[in-house]
Amino acid sequence: CKNMNNSEKNIVYDQSIEDLIPQQYTSATKYTLLVICISLVGLIAFLCVFPYPTKVSGSAEIIHDNGMYYAFLFLPPDRTGEIKKGMNAKIYTANYPESTYGHLNGTVISFVENVSTKNDGKLYIVKIYLGKELITNYGYQLSEQIEIIGTGDIIIKEQFLIENFFEPISKIIHYQ
């Protein structure tokens, strides 16, 4: 560089800057970047509006008593301490596929008892009020002529997926 004059130095400098500046983007590259940006925006929107409830699940049996329908939900001990009267429940019947008929909505009315199982583990029974008729969320009337069994969920906490993602981080930050 000592033997170069100023104009030669400018040419070398200009060429090295051109090497750093990317060439014109092709239309395929622009399209790919647009698709990535739209996908990220869609993912963020999905995380913000998609409900992701915390729930307790178990097996269910539906009974008819004094003109009312109830479900007994048989639960393992996990999170049963959080169940309270008035919580929402969903019963998915084995007799009627959910994809076609939907599920039954109900409300927790009480803990019936806790019993020991064959493996000497605890099993909690929760009584859920379903209503005077067995009508699914899709509007189907289920037959009372057959024994209806299935599974069920008690919704412990309704929250969005993004809240579920940030909750552990928030607990760490606010830990005393």
Side-chain angles (χ1 to χ4, degrees):
C1 279
K2 289 183 179 180
N3 296 335
M4 293 180 163
N5 64 29
N6 281 345
S7 65
E8 289 174 340
K9 286 182 186 177
N10 286 343
I11 292 172
V12 169
Y13 179 71
D14 290 341
Q15 285 177 338
S16 59
I17 292 212
E18 279 183 16
D19 291 341
L20 295 174
I21 298 172
Q23 299 298 318
Q24 278 286 333
Y25 291 115
T26 64
S27 61
T29 305
K30 289 178 185 177
Y31 179 73
T32 303
L33 289 173
L34 178 65
V35 168
I36 290 171
C37 289
I38 290 172
S39 298
L40 287 173
V41 168
L43 177 63
I44 291 169
F46 175 77
L47 290 174
C48 291
V49 299
F50 185 73
Y52 188 79
T54 303
K55 59 189 177 183
V56 178
S57 301
S59 60
E61 185 177 321
I62 297 173
I63 63 158
H64 188 243
D65 185 33
N66 292 328
M68 303 291 183
Y69 287 95
Y70 300 94
F72 287 106
L73 194 57
F74 302 90
L75 302 168
D78 301 339
R79 299 191 84 129
T80 54
E82 298 177 64
I83 298 172
K84 297 189 180 11
K85 185 177 180 179
M87 287 184 161
N88 293 326
K90 296 180 181 181
I91 306 298
Y92 309 96
T93 65
N95 312 72
Y96 299 93
E98 183 195 7
S99 59
T100 305
Y101 295 94
H103 62 267
L104 297 166
N105 290 313
T107 306
V108 172
I109 56 174
S110 66
F111 270 98
V112 175
E113 57 185 277
N114 89 28
V115 295
S116 294
T117 62
K118 291 179 185 175
N119 299 335
D120 207 28
K122 293 289 184 186
L123 189 65
Y124 293 85
I125 302 173
V126 177
K127 189 174 185 180
I128 298 166
Y129 174 71
L130 298 174
K132 293 181 180 182
E133 297 179 327
L134 290 178
I135 298 178
T136 68
N137 64 321
Y138 288 0
Y140 286 97
Q141 171 83 40
L142 303 185
S143 172
E144 58 188 66
Q145 303 300 319
I146 58 173
E147 178 185 24
I148 299 177
I149 58 171
T151 61
D153 297 330
I154 296 174
I155 311 303
I156 301 294
K157 181 169 58 169
E158 286 280 353
Q159 63 187 142
F160 294 110
L161 194 55
I162 198 160
E163 291 174 311
N164 201 23
F165 175 76
F166 284 114
E167 186 175 27
I169 296 168
S170 175
K171 286 181 179 178
I172 291 170
I173 291 171
H174 295 98
Y175 180 74
Q176 302 284 339

